[in-house]
Amino acid sequence: MEFIFDAVADGISYLIEFGPDLRGIVALTLVVSLSATLIGSTIGVPTGLWLGQARFRGRWLIVMMVNVGMGIPPVLAGLFVLLLLWGDGPLGGLELLFTPTAMIIVQSILALPIAIGVSLAAVASLAPAATEQLRAFHLTLPGRLRILASEARVGVLAAVAAAFGRVIAEVGAVLIVGGNIAGETRVLTTAIVQETRQARFGAAIALGIVLLVLSTFVNGGLTWLQTRGDADA
Amino acid sequence: MPDRFTFDDLVYPTDGSVLNGVGVSIGARESVALFGPNGGGKTSVMRLIAGTVARAKPLAEVTYLPQTPYLFRGTVESNLTVGLDGAESSDARLLADDLEVGHLLSRPSGELSGGEAQRIGLARTLASTAPLVLLDEPLAPINAAGRDHVAEIIRQRTAERALLWATHSVEAVRAIAGRLVVIDEGAVLQEGPVGEVLDSPADERVATILGTI
């Protein structure tokens, strides 16, 4: 048991020190996770809102693909992006492998189906009278999406929160395409793996606490927005 | 604007289990009431013409008030003017005053009663300049004391347009409609001028529908 107390004490020291290494890891984690959430949500939420109210032949196939995408193992997404960006791969000339950009790309791919799927479910759960009224307005697509985003705001914010939750907790894909290079592509999750492997539990605990605080902070903000929306309604 | 709006062979859904080849025709300045029991097909006729059923487009340029009034999140005014141009929005505010809900426009939409929401929906629908007006049970959520007034506004604001509306009320039919279409089980049972249909039902089934609903 004693080693746990020692590890916690080490972790607290590490946190209090909050040195340049840790600051760099936190900053990169935020940049990668927030960028991927922003990209995934910007594309995924409108797509999900549209897909939630659209009715066309073959819609079920797209919905099924979204659902499959929501459950895709991150390491597979990582492998896919790695092959694309590999030196001899189709996008190898861009020389993006083992850079933060590659990490943002793979995280965006993981965030996208979550943002689509949760937004789609939010629209599908609206009252039938709301759907009927919206169709009766005969609005343009942007007009419809604007009303849907407002009406399904709780679900839309849940979509953003779920996308962020997936990317900030993700380790396999960013490890594959980022390489966990110290000072360049190391983020909180890959750093925790690294420190744990080397039995530096204090540092791993400190990184874990920072990860938890970041996640709580962002999700807390989104929850506040959801609750405020309820109060305004 | 066409002289008549004619919709032939309305089928819904594809197997015709709700509507089986119903045809409806409305003159450019005519008021036609769809009359029949719940589940008889009135709302499906409205939805097909308005294009609100799945995979459908409007069959004409219409303005449509669905059966259940629904206000979206925001102010009452934002719901009143959604999708309307500037002139129509101004007209919708005047109509809201006429329908005695003009004082509610700055309130959050969730604070309105069903009857108030219906009046806002009616104001928006009637303010649109579309040549065909579709109203599904427009008077049902309105309290009895206000029905004559609301019916009169509907009559005034649709006098120069085609109006197709669904109703359960014989009184409202006499007040607003020029022609009556009796519909049940997805088929038209009888149609003609209001007085003629009410005074001479085609058969016992029509008489029962007209007399008991």
Side-chain angles (χ1 to χ4, degrees):
Chain A
M1 280 296 285
E2 197 177 324
F3 92 99
I4 294 180
F5 293 120
D6 290 344
V8 171
D10 281 351
I12 290 170
S13 310
Y14 194 76
L15 275 179
I16 291 170
E17 187 187 338
F18 208 70
D21 288 355
L22 182 55
R23 287 204 297 274
I25 290 171
V26 170
L28 185 62
T29 302
L30 280 174
V31 167
V32 170
S33 300
L34 292 177
S35 301
T37 305
L38 185 67
I39 293 168
S41 300
T42 302
I43 302 170
V45 168
T47 305
L49 293 175
W50 168 75
L51 199 52
Q53 51 87 56
R55 295 291 178 269
F56 55 90
R57 283 184 205 286
R59 176 180 178 273
W60 68 272
L61 189 63
I62 296 179
V63 172
M64 189 188 74
M65 286 166 63
V66 169
N67 288 335
V68 169
M70 289 172 79
I72 192 171
V75 287
L76 278 187
L79 178 61
F80 172 70
V81 173
L82 178 92
L83 294 173
L84 280 181
L85 300 181
W86 193 259
D88 295 335
L91 300 176
L94 298 174
E95 297 185 349
L96 291 175
L97 202 55
F98 307 125
T99 66
T101 306
M103 297 159 74
I104 291 171
I105 291 171
V106 76
Q107 295 280 46
S108 300
I109 290 172
L110 291 171
L112 183 63
I114 303 259
I116 297 175
V118 179
S119 302
L120 189 162
V123 170
S125 64
L126 290 177
T131 311
E132 170 83 351
Q133 181 65 72
L134 189 60
R135 287 180 180 155
F137 286 154
H138 298 130
L139 301 176
T140 58
L141 180 61
R144 280 207 304 278
L145 294 184
R146 192 179 57 74
I147 290 181
L148 283 172
S150 167
E151 198 66 12
R153 70 206 169 280
V154 174
V156 166
L157 289 168
V160 177
F164 177 77
R166 174 155 212 195
V167 299
I168 199 169
E170 204 286 316
V171 56
V174 286
L175 197 56
I176 290 175
V177 303
N180 193 31
I181 304 166
E184 291 185 34
T185 58
R186 183 163 294 172
V187 289
L188 282 165
T189 50
T190 57
I192 290 172
V193 172
Q194 176 86 6
E195 301 296 349
T196 309
R197 275 185 186 159
Q198 297 178 354
R200 288 202 293 261
F201 299 124
I205 288 172
L207 292 163
I209 290 170
V210 174
L211 185 60
L212 196 60
V213 167
L214 285 185
S215 181
T216 304
F217 184 75
V218 174
N219 279 299
L222 289 168
T223 307
W224 175 76
L225 281 175
Q226 282 181 324
T227 320
R228 194 187 64 150
D230 285 346
D232 288 350
Chain B
M1 190 168 73
D3 290 340
R4 294 196 75 79
F5 294 93
T6 301
F7 309 103
D8 290 326
D9 199 24
L10 297 173
V11 175
Y12 183 76
T14 46
D15 67 359
S17 56
V18 177
L19 285 183
N20 189 12
V22 168
V24 181
S25 181
I26 310 122
R29 291 180 177 77
E30 189 180 26
S31 169
V32 175
L34 280 178
F35 198 101
N38 284 331
K42 304 188 298 295
T43 294
S44 295
V45 169
M46 296 277 184
R47 286 177 173 167
L48 277 174
I49 296 173
T52 64
V53 296
R55 299 190 192 103
K57 289 196 164 25
L59 301 181
E61 188 190 346
V62 301
T63 177
Y64 169 47
L65 180 72
Q67 186 173 16
T68 309
Y70 189 91
L71 298 183
F72 291 95
R73 181 172 174 261
T75 63
V76 173
E77 185 163 19
S78 69
N79 279 273
L80 178 71
T81 58
V82 61
L84 301 180
D85 64 24
E88 289 171 331
S89 295
S90 301
D91 195 31
R93 291 185 192 94
L94 293 176
L95 267 161
D97 285 334
D98 290 346
L99 289 163
E100 298 164 345
V101 285
H103 61 292
L104 302 173
L105 299 192
S106 61
R107 292 204 191 161
S109 58
E111 290 185 5
L112 266 56
S113 69
E116 290 167 337
Q118 179 75 351
R119 288 168 190 250
I120 292 295
L122 259 175
R124 186 204 167 275
T125 307
L126 294 174
S128 163
T129 54
L132 173 58
V133 181
L134 303 175
L135 306 176
D136 196 349
E137 305 272 6
L139 301 175
I142 307 290
N143 58 349
R147 274 185 200 158
D148 287 348
H149 175 64
V150 173
E152 176 58 20
I153 288 174
I154 293 173
R155 197 188 59 74
Q156 287 173 7
R157 299 302 297 245
T158 57
E160 299 299 315
R161 291 191 276 180
L163 169 64
L164 178 67
W165 57 296
T167 183
H168 276 161
S169 161
V170 172
E171 289 73 26
V173 166
R174 288 188 191 279
I176 304 176
R179 201 153 56 84
L180 183 58
V181 176
V182 181
I183 183 171
D184 191 20
E185 294 181 359
V188 173
L189 303 182
Q190 185 179 358
E191 63 179 296
V194 169
E196 189 179 303
V197 175
L198 289 177
D199 294 341
S200 312
D203 53 32
E204 197 172 321
R205 185 174 167 198
V206 174
T208 305
I209 290 170
L210 292 172
T212 58
I213 296 169

Coordinates of all heavy atoms in Angstrom, one line a residue, chain A residues 55-58 126-127 129-139 146-147 150-151 153 228-230 232-233, chain B residues 43 47 50-55 58 62 64-74 79 82-83 108 110 124:
Chain A
R55 N -36.0 12.2 -45.4 CA -36.5 10.9 -45.7 C -36.2 10.7 -47.2 O -36.7 11.4 -48.0 CB -38.0 10.8 -45.4 CG -38.4 11.0 -44.0 CD -38.0 9.8 -43.1 NE -38.3 10.0 -41.7 CZ -37.5 10.5 -40.8 NH1 -36.3 10.9 -41.2 NH2 -37.9 10.6 -39.6
F56 N -35.4 9.7 -47.4 CA -35.1 9.4 -48.8 C -34.7 7.9 -48.9 O -34.3 7.3 -47.9 CB -33.9 10.3 -49.3 CG -32.7 10.2 -48.5 CD1 -31.7 9.3 -48.7 CD2 -32.5 11.1 -47.4 CE1 -30.5 9.3 -47.9 CE2 -31.4 11.1 -46.6 CZ -30.4 10.2 -46.9
R57 N -34.7 7.4 -50.1 CA -34.3 6.0 -50.3 C -32.8 5.8 -49.9 O -32.0 6.6 -50.3 CB -34.5 5.5 -51.7 CG -35.9 5.3 -52.0 CD -36.1 4.8 -53.5 NE -37.4 5.1 -54.0 CZ -38.5 4.4 -53.6 NH1 -38.4 3.4 -52.7 NH2 -39.7 4.7 -54.1
G58 N -32.5 4.7 -49.2 CA -31.1 4.5 -48.8 C -30.7 5.2 -47.6 O -29.5 5.1 -47.2
L126 N -37.7 14.5 -31.4 CA -38.6 15.6 -31.3 C -40.0 15.1 -31.4 O -40.3 14.1 -32.0 CB -38.3 16.6 -32.3 CG -37.0 17.4 -32.2 CD1 -36.8 18.3 -33.4 CD2 -36.9 18.2 -30.9
A127 N -40.9 15.9 -30.8 CA -42.4 15.6 -30.9 C -42.8 15.6 -32.4 O -42.4 16.4 -33.2 CB -43.2 16.6 -30.2
A129 N -45.5 16.6 -33.6 CA -46.1 17.9 -34.0 C -45.0 18.9 -34.4 O -45.2 19.7 -35.3 CB -46.9 18.4 -32.8
A130 N -43.8 18.8 -33.8 CA -42.7 19.7 -34.1 C -42.3 19.5 -35.6 O -42.1 20.4 -36.3 CB -41.6 19.6 -33.1
T131 N -42.1 18.2 -35.9 CA -41.7 17.8 -37.2 C -42.7 18.2 -38.3 O -42.3 18.8 -39.3 CB -41.5 16.3 -37.3 OG1 -40.7 15.9 -36.1 CG2 -40.7 15.9 -38.5
E132 N -43.9 18.0 -38.0 CA -45.0 18.4 -38.9 C -45.0 19.9 -39.1 O -45.1 20.4 -40.2 CB -46.4 17.9 -38.3 CG -47.6 18.4 -39.0 CD -48.0 17.6 -40.3 OE1 -47.1 16.7 -40.7 OE2 -49.0 17.8 -40.8
Q133 N -44.9 20.6 -38.0 CA -45.0 22.1 -38.1 C -43.8 22.6 -38.9 O -43.9 23.5 -39.8 CB -44.9 22.7 -36.7 CG -45.0 24.2 -36.7 CD -46.3 24.8 -37.3 OE1 -47.4 24.7 -36.6 NE2 -46.3 25.3 -38.5
L134 N -42.6 22.0 -38.7 CA -41.4 22.4 -39.4 C -41.5 22.2 -40.9 O -41.2 23.0 -41.7 CB -40.2 21.7 -38.8 CG -38.8 22.2 -39.3 CD1 -38.6 23.6 -39.0 CD2 -37.7 21.3 -38.8
R135 N -42.1 21.0 -41.3 CA -42.3 20.8 -42.7 C -43.3 21.7 -43.3 O -43.2 22.1 -44.4 CB -42.8 19.3 -42.9 CG -41.7 18.3 -42.6 CD -42.2 16.9 -42.8 NE -41.1 15.9 -42.6 CZ -41.3 14.7 -42.3 NH1 -42.6 14.2 -42.1 NH2 -40.3 13.9 -42.1
A136 N -44.3 22.1 -42.5 CA -45.4 23.0 -43.0 C -44.8 24.4 -43.3 O -45.4 25.1 -44.1 CB -46.5 23.1 -41.9
F137 N -43.7 24.8 -42.6 CA -43.1 26.1 -42.9 C -42.5 26.2 -44.3 O -42.3 27.3 -44.8 CB -42.0 26.4 -41.9 CG -42.5 26.7 -40.5 CD1 -41.7 26.5 -39.4 CD2 -43.8 27.3 -40.3 CE1 -42.2 26.8 -38.1 CE2 -44.2 27.6 -39.0 CZ -43.4 27.4 -37.9
H138 N -42.1 25.0 -44.9 CA -41.5 25.0 -46.2 C -40.3 26.0 -46.3 O -40.2 26.8 -47.1 CB -42.5 25.5 -47.3 CG -43.7 24.5 -47.4 ND1 -45.0 25.0 -47.4 CD2 -43.8 23.2 -47.5 CE1 -45.8 23.9 -47.5 NE2 -45.1 22.8 -47.6
L139 N -39.4 25.8 -45.3 CA -38.2 26.6 -45.2 C -37.1 26.1 -46.1 O -37.1 24.9 -46.5 CB -37.7 26.7 -43.8 CG -38.7 27.2 -42.7 CD1 -38.1 27.1 -41.3 CD2 -39.0 28.7 -43.0
R146 N -31.4 25.6 -38.7 CA -31.3 26.6 -37.6 C -32.4 26.3 -36.5 O -32.1 26.3 -35.3 CB -31.5 28.0 -38.1 CG -31.1 29.1 -37.2 CD -31.3 30.5 -37.8 NE -32.6 30.7 -38.3 CZ -33.7 31.0 -37.6 NH1 -33.5 31.0 -36.2 NH2 -34.9 31.2 -38.1
I147 N -33.6 26.1 -36.9 CA -34.7 25.8 -36.0 C -34.4 24.5 -35.3 O -34.6 24.3 -34.1 CB -36.1 25.8 -36.7 CG1 -36.4 27.2 -37.1 CG2 -37.2 25.2 -35.8 CD1 -37.8 27.3 -37.8
S150 N -31.8 24.8 -32.6 CA -32.4 25.4 -31.4 C -33.3 24.5 -30.6 O -33.2 24.4 -29.4 CB -33.1 26.7 -31.8 OG -33.8 27.2 -30.8
E151 N -34.2 23.8 -31.4 CA -35.2 23.0 -30.7 C -34.5 21.7 -30.1 O -34.9 21.3 -29.0 CB -36.2 22.5 -31.8 CG -37.5 22.0 -31.2 CD -38.3 23.1 -30.5 OE1 -38.0 24.3 -30.6 OE2 -39.2 22.7 -29.8
R153 N -31.5 21.6 -28.9 CA -30.2 22.1 -28.4 C -29.6 21.2 -27.4 O -28.3 21.0 -27.3 CB -30.4 23.5 -27.8 CG -31.2 23.5 -26.5 CD -31.9 24.8 -26.3 NE -32.8 24.6 -25.2 CZ -34.0 24.0 -25.3 NH1 -34.4 23.6 -26.4 NH2 -34.8 23.9 -24.2
R228 N -28.8 26.1 -19.1 CA -29.2 27.5 -19.3 C -30.2 27.5 -20.4 O -31.2 28.2 -20.3 CB -28.0 28.3 -19.7 CG -28.2 29.8 -19.7 CD -27.1 30.5 -20.2 NE -26.9 30.3 -21.7 CZ -26.5 31.1 -22.5 NH1 -26.0 32.3 -22.1 NH2 -26.3 30.8 -23.8
G229 N -30.1 26.7 -21.4 CA -31.0 26.6 -22.5 C -32.4 26.1 -22.0 O -33.4 26.7 -22.4
D230 N -32.4 25.2 -21.0 CA -33.7 24.8 -20.4 C -34.4 25.9 -19.7 O -35.6 26.1 -19.8 CB -33.5 23.7 -19.4 CG -33.2 22.4 -20.2 OD1 -33.4 22.3 -21.4 OD2 -32.7 21.4 -19.5
D232 N -34.1 29.1 -20.4 CA -34.6 30.1 -21.3 C -35.9 29.6 -22.0 O -36.6 30.5 -22.6 CB -33.6 30.4 -22.4 CG -32.4 31.2 -21.8 OD1 -32.6 31.6 -20.6 OD2 -31.4 31.3 -22.4
A233 N -36.1 28.3 -22.1 CA -37.2 27.8 -23.0 C -38.5 28.2 -22.5 O -38.8 28.5 -21.4 CB -37.1 26.3 -23.1
Chain B
T43 N -56.9 14.6 -42.4 CA -55.5 15.1 -42.1 C -54.5 14.6 -43.2 O -53.6 15.4 -43.6 CB -55.0 14.8 -40.7 OG1 -55.9 15.4 -39.8 CG2 -53.6 15.1 -40.5
R47 N -52.0 16.8 -45.4 CA -50.6 16.5 -45.4 C -50.0 16.2 -46.8 O -48.9 16.7 -47.2 CB -50.2 15.4 -44.5 CG -50.3 15.8 -43.0 CD -50.1 14.5 -42.2 NE -50.0 14.9 -40.8 CZ -50.1 14.0 -39.8 NH1 -50.2 12.8 -40.0 NH2 -50.0 14.5 -38.5
A50 N -50.0 19.5 -48.7 CA -49.0 20.4 -48.1 C -47.6 19.8 -48.3 O -46.6 20.5 -48.0 CB -49.3 20.7 -46.7
G51 N -47.5 18.6 -48.6 CA -46.1 17.9 -48.7 C -45.4 17.7 -47.4 O -44.2 17.7 -47.4
T52 N -46.1 17.5 -46.4 CA -45.5 17.2 -45.1 C -45.3 15.8 -44.7 O -44.7 15.4 -43.7 CB -46.2 17.9 -43.9 OG1 -47.5 17.4 -43.8 CG2 -46.3 19.4 -44.2
V53 N -45.9 14.9 -45.6 CA -45.6 13.5 -45.3 C -44.2 13.1 -45.8 O -43.6 13.8 -46.6 CB -46.7 12.5 -46.0 CG1 -48.0 12.8 -45.4 CG2 -46.7 12.7 -47.5
A54 N -43.7 12.0 -45.4 CA -42.3 11.6 -45.7 C -42.2 11.5 -47.3 O -43.1 11.0 -47.9 CB -42.0 10.2 -45.1
R55 N -41.1 11.9 -47.8 CA -40.7 11.8 -49.2 C -41.7 12.5 -50.1 O -42.0 12.0 -51.2 CB -40.6 10.4 -49.6 CG -39.5 9.6 -48.9 CD -39.2 8.3 -49.6 NE -38.4 7.4 -48.7 CZ -38.9 6.4 -48.0 NH1 -40.2 6.1 -48.0 NH2 -38.1 5.7 -47.2
P58 N -44.8 19.7 -51.7 CA -46.1 20.3 -51.8 C -46.7 20.2 -53.2 O -45.9 20.3 -54.2 CB -45.8 21.8 -51.5 CG -44.5 21.8 -50.8 CD -43.7 20.6 -51.2
V62 N -48.8 26.5 -51.1 CA -49.8 26.5 -50.0 C -49.2 27.1 -48.8 O -48.0 27.2 -48.6 CB -50.2 25.0 -49.6 CG1 -50.8 24.3 -50.8 CG2 -49.0 24.3 -49.0
Y64 N -50.0 26.3 -44.7 CA -50.7 25.2 -44.0 C -50.6 25.3 -42.5 O -49.5 25.5 -42.0 CB -50.0 23.9 -44.5 CG -50.4 22.6 -43.8 CD1 -51.7 22.3 -43.5 CD2 -49.4 21.7 -43.4 CE1 -52.0 21.1 -42.8 CE2 -49.6 20.5 -42.8 CZ -51.0 20.2 -42.5 OH -51.3 19.0 -41.8
L65 N -51.7 25.1 -41.8 CA -51.7 25.1 -40.4 C -52.0 23.6 -40.0 O -53.2 23.1 -40.2 CB -52.8 26.0 -39.8 CG -52.9 26.0 -38.3 CD1 -51.7 26.7 -37.7 CD2 -54.2 26.7 -37.8
P66 N -51.1 22.9 -39.4 CA -51.3 21.5 -39.0 C -52.3 21.4 -37.8 O -52.6 22.4 -37.2 CB -49.9 21.0 -38.5 CG -48.9 22.0 -39.1 CD -49.7 23.3 -39.2
Q67 N -52.8 20.2 -37.6 CA -53.8 20.0 -36.6 C -53.4 20.4 -35.2 O -54.1 20.9 -34.4 CB -54.2 18.5 -36.6 CG -55.4 18.2 -35.7 CD -55.9 16.8 -35.9 OE1 -55.2 16.0 -36.5 NE2 -57.1 16.5 -35.5
T68 N -52.1 20.0 -34.8 CA -51.6 20.3 -33.5 C -50.7 21.5 -33.5 O -49.7 21.5 -34.1 CB -50.9 19.1 -32.9 OG1 -51.6 17.9 -33.1 CG2 -50.5 19.2 -31.5
P69 N -51.2 22.6 -32.8 CA -50.3 23.8 -32.9 C -49.0 23.5 -32.1 O -49.0 22.9 -31.1 CB -51.1 24.8 -32.1 CG -52.1 24.1 -31.3 CD -52.4 22.8 -32.0
Y70 N -47.9 23.9 -32.7 CA -46.6 23.7 -32.1 C -45.8 25.0 -32.2 O -45.6 25.5 -33.3 CB -45.9 22.5 -32.7 CG -44.6 22.2 -31.9 CD1 -44.7 21.2 -30.9 CD2 -43.4 22.8 -32.2 CE1 -43.5 20.9 -30.2 CE2 -42.3 22.5 -31.4 CZ -42.4 21.5 -30.4 OH -41.2 21.2 -29.7
L71 N -45.3 25.5 -31.1 CA -44.4 26.7 -31.2 C -43.0 26.2 -30.8 O -42.8 25.5 -29.8 CB -44.9 27.7 -30.2 CG -46.3 28.3 -30.4 CD1 -46.6 29.4 -29.4 CD2 -46.4 28.9 -31.8
F72 N -42.0 26.7 -31.6 CA -40.6 26.3 -31.4 C -40.0 27.2 -30.3 O -40.6 28.3 -30.0 CB -39.8 26.4 -32.7 CG -40.2 25.4 -33.7 CD1 -41.2 25.6 -34.6 CD2 -39.7 24.1 -33.6 CE1 -41.5 24.6 -35.5 CE2 -40.0 23.1 -34.4 CZ -41.0 23.3 -35.4
R73 N -38.9 26.8 -29.8 CA -38.2 27.6 -28.8 C -37.9 29.0 -29.3 O -37.5 29.2 -30.4 CB -36.9 26.8 -28.4 CG -36.1 27.5 -27.3 CD -35.0 26.6 -26.9 NE -34.1 27.2 -26.0 CZ -32.9 27.8 -26.3 NH1 -32.6 27.8 -27.6 NH2 -32.2 28.4 -25.4
G74 N -38.0 29.9 -28.4 CA -37.8 31.3 -28.8 C -39.0 32.2 -28.3 O -39.8 31.8 -27.5
N79 N -41.8 32.8 -33.7 CA -42.7 31.8 -34.3 C -43.7 32.4 -35.2 O -44.1 31.7 -36.2 CB -43.4 31.0 -33.1 CG -42.5 30.0 -32.5 OD1 -42.5 28.8 -33.0 ND2 -41.8 30.3 -31.5
V82 N -41.7 33.2 -38.7 CA -40.8 32.3 -39.3 C -41.2 32.0 -40.7 O -42.3 31.7 -41.0 CB -40.6 31.0 -38.5 CG1 -41.9 30.3 -38.3 CG2 -39.6 30.1 -39.0
G83 N -40.2 32.1 -41.7 CA -40.5 31.8 -43.1 C -41.2 32.9 -43.8 O -41.5 32.7 -45.0
P108 N -41.7 34.3 -24.0 CA -41.2 33.0 -24.5 C -42.3 32.1 -25.0 O -43.4 32.1 -24.4 CB -40.6 32.4 -23.2 CG -40.4 33.5 -22.3 CD -41.4 34.5 -22.6
G110 N -43.0 29.0 -24.8 CA -43.5 28.0 -23.9 C -44.6 28.4 -22.9 O -45.2 27.6 -22.3
R124 N -49.9 33.4 -38.5 CA -48.8 33.2 -39.4 C -49.3 32.6 -40.7 O -48.9 33.0 -41.8 CB -47.8 32.2 -38.7 CG -46.5 32.1 -39.6 CD -45.8 30.8 -39.3 NE -44.8 30.7 -40.4 CZ -45.1 30.1 -41.6 NH1 -46.3 29.7 -41.8 NH2 -44.2 30.0 -42.5

